[in-house]
Amino acid sequence: MSILEVENVRFRYRSRYQQVDALKGVTYQFEQGKVYGLIGKSGSGKSTLLSLLAGLDLPQEGEIRFEGVPTAKMELNRYRREKAAVIYQSFRLFPLLTVQENVTYPMELRGFGGKAAREKAKELISRVNLPETALNRYPSMLSGGEQQRVAIARALSMDTKLLLADEPTGNLDTENGDRIIDILVQLAHEEKYCVIIATHDMDILPRLDEACRVVDGKLIRQSTVSQR
């Protein structure tokens, strides 16, 4: 069953001088247990689609439904806080908070704090293959690959089965980028997350269950060879 449905979604940007149709009638369904790729060049519309899936805005036409409920009928701040976990290229960790504090922050927003949240943070850090000693470090003390793993742990703390990744390997070298994709694939295939990756990196294509080329605001599904 689909966790996320996109139906005839259109979105355009307007300025004083021009109008840009970023999405032109996009329709797709996303299921748990799979890794999806939105593959496209800069300006193709993939980031616009990901931002709509994340609840940063609403479609101007068409509908996005999470577990059957249109995002237009949801309180978007709550949707972003509790339903759609986003992993960014730039990590977006809080520099003055420790790793543990970064991971527990989304839990505290939901009223889940104290010792239970700290223990959960330890579990999540272990799941992304970081040592427990990392918990008391600050982001600046970690490598780029380690920071991205902390960002994944923070996303997992939201207790949702939808993970949206915006160029998650864009600031990493090949080795660390491969490790991040390994983690995302494992989460999908072993823990039934729905993982949607927006990227221009064609090297991850064999790791995907389904790939969609985003070309001029339209989605074109293409075959992949997923390495399970």
Side-chain angles (χ1 to χ4, degrees):
M1 181 177 177
S2 300
I3 188 174
L4 196 64
E5 299 169 277
V6 180
E7 185 175 348
N8 198 30
V9 163
R10 297 176 181 271
F11 195 89
R12 62 186 61 88
Y13 297 99
R14 291 190 179 94
S15 70
R16 181 178 177 181
Y17 303 104
Q18 65 177 340
Q19 172 178 297
V20 177
D21 292 315
L23 297 175
K24 305 173 183 177
V26 171
T27 296
Y28 211 80
Q29 295 185 349
F30 301 93
E31 301 176 3
Q32 289 180 228
K34 290 185 177 182
V35 183
Y36 297 86
L38 305 177
I39 312 294
K41 298 178 180 179
S42 178
S44 63
K46 67 181 188 301
S47 293
T48 298
L49 178 57
L50 200 75
S51 70
L52 296 179
L53 298 179
L56 296 175
D57 211 334
L58 293 172
Q60 293 161 341
E61 297 180 35
E63 197 169 70
I64 293 174
R65 295 184 293 272
F66 179 83
E67 295 182 334
V69 181
T71 55
K73 294 184 178 180
M74 297 180 181
E75 202 282 301
L76 288 184
N77 285 331
R78 184 174 182 181
Y79 173 75
R80 291 192 295 267
R81 188 168 62 245
E82 299 179 359
K83 304 299 184 182
V86 184
I87 303 160
Y88 296 96
Q89 176 179 350
S90 56
F91 319 134
R92 295 198 182 181
L93 300 176
F94 298 110
L96 299 181
L97 299 184
T98 65
V99 165
Q100 186 173 61
E101 290 167 339
N102 268 280
V103 175
T104 58
Y105 182 75
M107 291 185 270
E108 292 169 353
L109 289 179
R110 304 197 320 271
F112 179 63
K115 183 178 179 180
R118 292 192 294 273
E119 289 300 317
K120 183 69 172 179
K122 290 182 182 179
E123 174 193 332
L124 294 174
I125 284 298
S126 176
R127 282 171 68 184
V128 297
N129 302 318
L130 285 174
E132 190 173 317
T133 53
L135 286 165
N136 294 321
R137 297 176 184 170
Y138 290 91
S140 62
M141 301 167 69
L142 305 176
S143 69
E146 290 170 332
Q147 290 187 61
Q148 192 62 292
R149 280 183 270 172
V150 174
I152 294 174
R154 182 176 62 183
L156 296 179
S157 76
M158 294 177 61
D159 198 27
T160 179
K161 287 297 183 180
L162 175 62
L163 291 180
L164 308 172
D166 188 7
E167 301 283 2
T169 63
N171 283 340
L172 305 177
D173 59 34
T174 300
E175 181 178 356
N176 279 301
D178 288 344
R179 288 176 180 171
I180 294 304
I181 297 301
D182 286 343
I183 292 171
L184 295 177
V185 170
Q186 181 181 26
L187 289 169
H189 293 171
E190 298 183 11
E191 301 186 38
K192 301 306 177 185
Y193 280 82
C194 174
V195 178
I196 304 173
I197 304 172
T199 183
H200 66 275
D201 183 5
M202 296 297 291
D203 289 340
I204 75 167
L205 196 62
R207 309 298 307 279
L208 304 173
D209 295 298
E210 295 186 23
C212 295
R213 290 188 62 83
V214 186
V215 181
D216 295 331
K218 296 181 180 181
L219 249 62
I220 304 170
R221 182 174 175 177
Q222 64 182 69
S223 61
T224 65
V225 181
S226 180
Q227 298 176 350
R228 287 181 179 263

